[in-house]
Amino acid sequence: MSKRALILFGSLCLIVAPRLSAQERGAAALGELVEGLGTTARVLMIGAHPDDEDTQLITWLATGRHVETAYLSLTRGDGGQNLIGNELGEPLGMIRTEELLAARRIDGGRQYFTRAFDFGFSKTIDETFQHWPRQVILRDMVAIVRAYRPQVIISVWSGTPADGHGHHQYAGVLAREVFDAAGDSVRFPPSTLGGLKPWTPLKFYRSARFGRGAGGAAGDLLRFNVGEYDPLLGESYSEIATVSRSQHRSQGQGGLPQRGARIDAVRLETTHLAATPATPERTIFDGIDTSWARFASLRLVDSARAALDSLTVAQVAVVRARDLAAPARMVAPLAAYVRLATRAASGVTCTTLESDPAHPRTCDASMGDLALALDLTRERATQALLDAAGVSIQATAPREVIAESDSMPVTISVFNEGRAPVRLDGAAIRGEGAATNESRTILPDSTLRETLQYHAPPSPTRSWWLVRPRVGDMFNLDSTPHPTTVPREMIVGADRIETSAADVTLNIDGTAVPVEEAPIVYRYADPARGEVRRPIATVPPVTVLLEHEVEYARANVPFDRTMLVDVHSAATRPLVTDVSLVLPQGLHADSAVRHVSLEPGADAHVYFRVQGRLSPGRHPISAVARLGSRQYTEGFTPIEYEHIRPLRYYRPATVQVQAVDAVFANLRIGYVRGVGDNVMPMLEELGLPVTELDPAALARTDLSGFTTIVLGSRAYEASPALLANTPVLMRFARNGGTIVTQYGQYEMARPGVLPYPITLSRPADRVTDEFAAVRVLDPGSPLLSTPNRITEADFANWVQERSSYMPHTFDRAYRDLFSMHDPGEPPNDAAVLVAPVGKGTYIYTTFSFFRQLPAGNPGAARLFINLLSANQSAANRPVSASDAIRP
């Protein structure tokens, strides 16, 4: 694949990759590349979260009109929930980042992020500004706009309260602000942004899809039929977009592709054009010169100017020679186009990104615009030339992981499946000194392989934004408190970051063709899935990890727990390492050190029995592996789903044990897991007897041995079979059992899901301020005293939120226990609702226990134990005269 590459200091390669992957070859791919040769315009769409993007419009622009189209998501979606696994927080952000990249590989767009960490639902823009300082995030956005240089910016959100989410409104406001700020050299001097010079986008639109977009009449809308059929691809852009959006599996965004006309729309809000475009507009580029002619006044050396001025004619020659059934006829005109584009690019002597020793001068606006336009057209022309010539490249390694500073062979294979010979003039591993420069001819229907040594960097492959600990609700991307540069990974684009690459120089039809193949992959056959390609990754030679980051224990009672330490070797020789635990006061292990022998690439499970007694509070337990003079104190958790590339979440080999002053008696709990639900193991760590229940098998499960059945958060969404078995649960309650149901969404208002009706508003009531005061409505309720006395202290140090999807009204059969609200809003009394059902008790709680318990909050654990222990004394409380359907 032809890519433009930039080397980052250290081990990270930043590679400008074309949309097409190595597997996407053939007539359709070649035809798309040729159609896009003369398109040099760029569009930037801005939203708050990964799944905010208008995938339909991105696809229509990027695939349908071959416009370079990028999506800037302010966050990586870390604060959402997870429908496909238990990852939350940073690991979920890693997943959602990869889901966006998977979407972009399908719809043809590009991808950017700022440093904002998704701290969860926010009701107001004022709250969001408290978490994300305006100037810091705007600075990131300015840097991205100056590096990407879009002519058009489209805001997904209106920037008004109608957006329904503080993050959305924030994104809408800052999208409009960056439209002006990117060109303001006084507010953002280039010296504070690594030399990035001002860039002034020309038009600013807001999305009007689904009625979004502030102000204006319907006649002001610029509409697009995103359902337009592409005969070359054999499907409409809307169908492609639906597949793209379906990559957001963690958020349940799978959709059904629909054929036929589908209308999308934007509304022009403002411009920096000298003349206002005529109305009605025909395209978003009305009034903007998107041809090569806009560079006519640029001063270039004569050879570069002549080449640039010849590109339009050369493109016409390519189109005239177009023959997708016999693409060899296209080789000569494509080779000529590549030569011209390369010669034109030689006239650009500045860098489009930050200044660095290799390129000490950053481009001004016009020259940077030309540089990016030439990069794109060379990228497309080079890939088209490879496809027309029937040439492809693979860079493969014998294994997926390699230890830091280790080496392994990498095979670079050049396949000539065309009709004419091509020549290999050189091959190298990116960043390596070793290379081959011997010229060799590759005849048609033959393959040339070159094996070179790959030397792993001295640091592991990890998500770059997690290298430093997060500061508040922003990722720490800077090495100094007052940076004058910006991270290259941020401004080059997430879709163009690769951690390994091979450089190959070919000669096709007398034209030098530099090609970067990235990433280097480990390729193998899976009996069920067939071919599998996994990017190579560098890992520490020894990794060590404890099972969890946070665990519960009961305070002031005997602590007796087996701690599992996972040790992995990535070395290619046998190792012997010493593994030990670092324990807090009050605990001791059955052995000070374990001597562990590891074969190459092997894992070992090391067990320590830890005993003692803990006082209330947090107590760290850490694992250390020693190999010679070096200590290893971190490891990684693999994150693997079939729709994204494999990930590794690195974390210290430390577990924070939260000792909770809590008691319970005679509980036997059945648990039905919900969405992203890590509550059950936390209960087990407190010593509660918990059995996981299959929701589809409830009807044939003997529930008589349980005192309490718990339904995890959004359990009805996680398992459709649960709804059919709800009568089984109600029978359990009528016979004297207790049911604790954690929050769900609008499905909870369906008749028959809960024992008595509730209603939910749209948007649903919630308390997003984790510090919101909690007022007790029924001080005499046993839920506040049995078996643990609940006080104000039990609501301290909650994380992200108090409660989600709270009922707006509820039947008088329920007893309410707590009242709370966000600033400036009326109180909601539905965080815990208790009702009698036959001889038993039903509790519906919208408290965010699914976040609080995995975070190790002690008060949330004490309260949850009380809910598990409830009986009808909590349900049959006195009813006030005002009770009816409670607002």
Side-chain angles (χ1 to χ4, degrees):
M1 294 180 289
S2 174
K3 311 176 184 90
R4 177 175 171 272
L6 292 157
I7 304 297
L8 187 70
F9 299 117
S11 63
L12 192 63
C13 297
L14 305 180
I15 295 173
V16 176
R19 176 175 67 86
L20 296 173
S21 71
Q23 293 88 347
E24 292 178 297
R25 303 167 61 208
L30 177 57
E32 292 285 300
L33 289 165
V34 169
E35 287 181 1
L37 283 183
T39 306
T40 63
R42 293 175 297 278
V43 172
L44 180 66
M45 181 179 291
I46 300 176
H49 306 113
D51 55 355
D52 287 354
E53 93 273 54
D54 186 344
T55 317
Q56 301 276 331
L57 185 53
I58 291 174
T59 307
W60 187 84
L61 286 169
T63 300
R65 297 301 179 266
H66 309 291
V67 172
E68 191 165 27
T69 308
Y71 175 53
L72 168 56
S73 175
L74 299 191
T75 76
R76 298 174 186 269
D78 328 76
Q81 284 194 255
N82 184 358
L83 269 67
I84 59 175
N86 294 331
E87 297 88 357
L88 295 174
E90 282 90 343
L92 177 58
M94 294 169 64
I95 291 171
R96 297 190 69 182
T97 295
E98 280 297 321
E99 287 180 334
L100 264 183
L101 295 178
R104 297 294 83 86
R105 288 192 288 271
I106 292 169
D107 59 37
R110 297 201 46 214
Q111 187 59 52
Y112 291 92
F113 298 94
T114 74
R115 72 187 66 213
F117 172 79
D118 182 353
F119 59 88
F121 188 87
S122 175
K123 291 181 178 178
T124 68
I125 191 172
D126 292 335
E127 180 193 14
T128 304
F129 277 123
Q130 293 174 16
H131 292 262
W132 302 337
R134 184 185 206 128
Q135 193 71 2
V136 175
I137 302 303
L138 182 61
R139 180 178 182 271
D140 286 354
M141 298 171 71
V142 167
I144 290 167
V145 169
R146 289 185 180 181
Y148 179 62
R149 295 171 171 84
Q151 286 87 7
V152 175
I153 290 178
I154 300 173
S155 174
V156 174
W157 300 106
S158 69
T160 70
D163 292 331
H165 192 316
H167 297 182
H168 295 165
Q169 188 177 355
Y170 181 101
V173 168
L174 263 66
R176 174 63 183 85
E177 194 166 347
V178 77
F179 179 71
D180 293 329
D184 190 337
S185 61
V186 175
R187 188 174 180 187
F188 292 96
S191 60
T192 66
L193 291 172
L196 287 172
K197 292 187 170 64
W199 171 260
T200 301
L202 297 177
K203 299 174 81 173
F204 180 83
Y205 290 87
R206 292 198 190 271
S207 172
R209 199 173 184 221
F210 305 129
R212 292 198 297 257
D220 298 332
L221 297 181
L222 177 59
R223 294 180 171 85
F224 316 91
N225 177 19
V226 295
E228 178 185 347
Y229 177 74
D230 188 318
L232 196 60
L233 299 176
E235 54 190 337
S236 72
Y237 304 121
S238 177
E239 290 178 282
I240 297 169
T242 303
V243 177
S244 168
R245 188 160 187 82
S246 295
Q247 302 310 300
H248 295 288
R249 297 186 191 180
S250 69
Q251 305 305 299
Q253 294 292 321
L256 187 65
Q258 302 287 344
R259 295 178 180 176
R262 295 176 69 85
I263 304 302
D264 206 339
V266 295
R267 177 179 283 114
L268 179 64
E269 184 169 304
T270 189
T271 79
H272 288 137
L273 294 171
T276 302
T279 55
E281 289 187 296
R282 295 174 300 164
T283 77
I284 59 175
F285 297 110
D286 280 7
I288 301 174
D289 186 356
T290 60
S291 71
W292 296 111
R294 72 180 185 273
F295 304 114
S297 62
L298 274 182
R299 295 183 60 182
L300 298 171
V301 296
D302 291 345
S303 60
R305 166 54 61 192
L308 179 62
D309 292 344
S310 301
L311 281 178
T312 301
V313 174
Q315 180 187 347
V316 172
V318 171
V319 173
R320 285 177 177 169
R322 172 173 157 162
D323 188 339
L324 302 181
R329 300 175 185 174
M330 303 170 64
V331 168
L334 280 168
Y337 191 97
V338 169
R339 289 194 297 272
L340 288 172
T342 301
R343 194 182 312 149
S346 69
V348 178
T349 58
C350 54
T351 176
T352 58
L353 299 178
E354 293 181 301
S355 58
D356 60 40
H359 296 280
R361 186 170 67 88
T362 54
C363 296
D364 60 19
S366 296
M367 191 63 76
D369 184 15
L370 173 61
L372 292 179
L374 287 171
D375 282 347
L376 180 62
T377 203
R378 278 197 300 165
E379 178 183 292
R380 290 173 172 172
T382 297
Q383 183 63 56
L385 176 57
L386 291 170
D387 286 355
V391 175
S392 59
I393 300 170
Q394 288 182 352
T396 57
R399 62 184 188 274
E400 179 183 356
V401 297
I402 180 172
E404 298 167 354
S405 303
D406 200 354
S407 63
M408 65 179 174
V410 167
T411 300
I412 299 172
S413 303
V414 182
F415 303 91
N416 183 1
E417 300 172 287
R419 296 185 177 181
V422 299
R423 194 174 73 226
L424 173 67
D425 286 340
I429 303 297
R430 179 66 51 79
E432 300 283 342
T436 176
N437 296 311
E438 179 186 352
S439 293
R440 281 164 291 178
T441 298
I442 310 170
L443 297 174
D445 297 319
S446 62
T447 303
L448 189 150
R449 290 183 172 86
E450 187 73 40
T451 299
L452 300 173
Q453 281 297 112
Y454 171 82
H455 297 279
S459 57
T461 305
R462 64 176 81 205
S463 298
W464 70 271
W465 64 95
L466 298 178
V467 169
R468 300 183 184 90
R470 180 163 50 88
V471 178
D473 289 316
M474 294 191 297
F475 294 110
N476 183 8
L477 308 184
D478 303 310
S479 57
T480 62
H482 304 289
T484 58
T485 60
V486 290
R488 286 202 166 196
E489 302 96 327
M490 182 173 71
I491 58 176
V492 78
D495 58 302
R496 304 197 174 195
I497 297 175
E498 299 290 359
T499 55
S500 63
D503 291 320
V504 176
T505 302
L506 301 174
N507 189 291
I508 301 175
D509 198 54
T511 301
V513 183
V515 183
E516 291 91 17
E517 175 65 17
I520 300 169
V521 298
Y522 168 54
R523 180 171 175 260
Y524 68 95
D526 180 274
R529 299 165 56 194
E531 182 190 29
V532 176
R533 295 181 174 217
R534 297 172 68 92
I536 63 170
T538 302
V539 300
V542 175
T543 54
V544 57
L545 204 63
L546 290 163
E547 282 188 278
H548 307 120
E549 293 182 84
V550 177
E551 291 184 4
Y552 276 133
R554 291 173 62 199
N556 299 319
V557 300
F559 181 95
D560 190 343
R561 187 168 297 179
T562 299
M563 307 299 295
L564 170 61
V565 182
D566 285 317
V567 186
H568 174 75
S569 169
T572 55
R573 59 182 176 82
L575 298 177
V576 177
T577 181
D578 293 337
V579 180
S580 60
L581 293 181
V582 180
L583 298 172
Q585 185 177 358
L587 298 183
H588 63 274
D590 59 348
S591 175
V593 177
R594 294 273 200 271
H595 302 289
V596 181
S597 297
L598 292 166
E599 293 300 316
D603 295 284
H605 302 303
V606 185
Y607 297 90
F608 292 86
R609 185 179 181 185
V610 179
Q611 295 174 290
R613 189 180 294 263
L614 292 172
S615 60
R618 289 230 160 174
H619 307 272
I621 297 177
S622 300
V624 180
R626 292 177 174 84
L627 182 64
S629 61
R630 186 171 177 182
Q631 296 187 55
Y632 298 92
T633 58
E634 74 169 357
F636 60 83
T637 301
I639 301 175
E640 302 207 8
Y641 295 97
E642 64 178 5
H643 66 302
I644 60 174
R645 296 179 296 186
L647 300 166
R648 293 169 182 84
Y649 172 57
Y650 279 84
R651 58 182 175 87
T654 298
V655 58
Q656 298 289 340
V657 179
Q658 178 68 53
V660 182
D661 188 5
V663 297
F664 57 86
N666 301 321
L667 288 175
R668 298 176 305 280
I669 302 162
Y671 199 102
V672 177
R673 283 188 185 263
V675 169
D677 189 355
N678 294 313
V679 168
M680 192 179 83
M682 306 306 291
L683 299 179
E684 293 174 323
E685 290 162 3
L686 288 166
L688 290 158
V690 186
T691 301
E692 184 170 3
L693 300 176
D694 179 358
L698 287 175
R700 58 180 184 272
T701 302
D702 182 5
L703 304 180
S704 62
F706 298 110
T707 60
T708 309
I709 292 177
V710 180
L711 304 186
S713 56
R714 297 169 68 179
Y716 281 94
E717 184 177 353
S719 175
L722 184 59
L723 181 62
N725 283 321
T726 297
V728 177
L729 298 175
M730 296 304 175
R731 186 163 59 247
F732 169 81
R734 286 195 298 271
N735 290 335
T738 296
I739 295 177
V740 178
T741 298
Q742 298 174 68
Y743 100 97
Q745 297 187 346
Y746 292 101
E747 71 275 7
M748 304 309 293
R750 293 178 57 182
V753 172
L754 294 176
Y756 308 103
I758 64 168
T759 67
L760 285 89
S761 59
R762 289 183 181 269
D765 298 342
R766 60 175 83 200
V767 177
T768 61
D769 182 357
E770 64 268 38
F771 305 109
V774 178
R775 184 167 63 92
V776 175
L777 299 175
D778 185 3
S781 172
L783 294 178
L784 298 176
S785 59
T786 305
N788 302 290
R789 182 160 297 280
I790 303 301
T791 69
E792 183 179 350
D794 290 303
F795 293 98
N797 301 315
W798 283 40
V799 298
Q800 188 161 320
E801 61 195 349
R802 287 284 193 211
S803 189
S804 294
Y805 284 82
M806 305 172 77
H808 191 67
T809 66
F810 50 87
D811 190 88
R812 63 180 300 173
Y814 291 107
R815 303 304 305 134
D816 46 2
L817 187 59
F818 300 107
S819 181
M820 66 196 75
H821 61 90
D822 278 329
E825 295 189 351
N828 185 296
D829 302 344
V832 174
L833 300 177
V834 190
V837 176
K839 299 176 183 179
T841 305
Y842 198 104
I843 296 176
Y844 182 56
T845 176
T846 58
F847 272 135
S848 60
F849 288 113
F850 77 99
R851 293 195 191 277
Q852 310 312 321
L853 268 65
N857 183 274
R862 287 161 44 82
L863 177 58
F864 202 78
I865 290 173
N866 284 16
L867 300 186
L868 299 176
S869 306
N871 56 37
Q872 286 211 329
S873 65
N876 294 321
R877 300 290 296 158
V879 179
S880 68
S882 63
D883 279 338
I885 297 291
R886 293 289 304 277

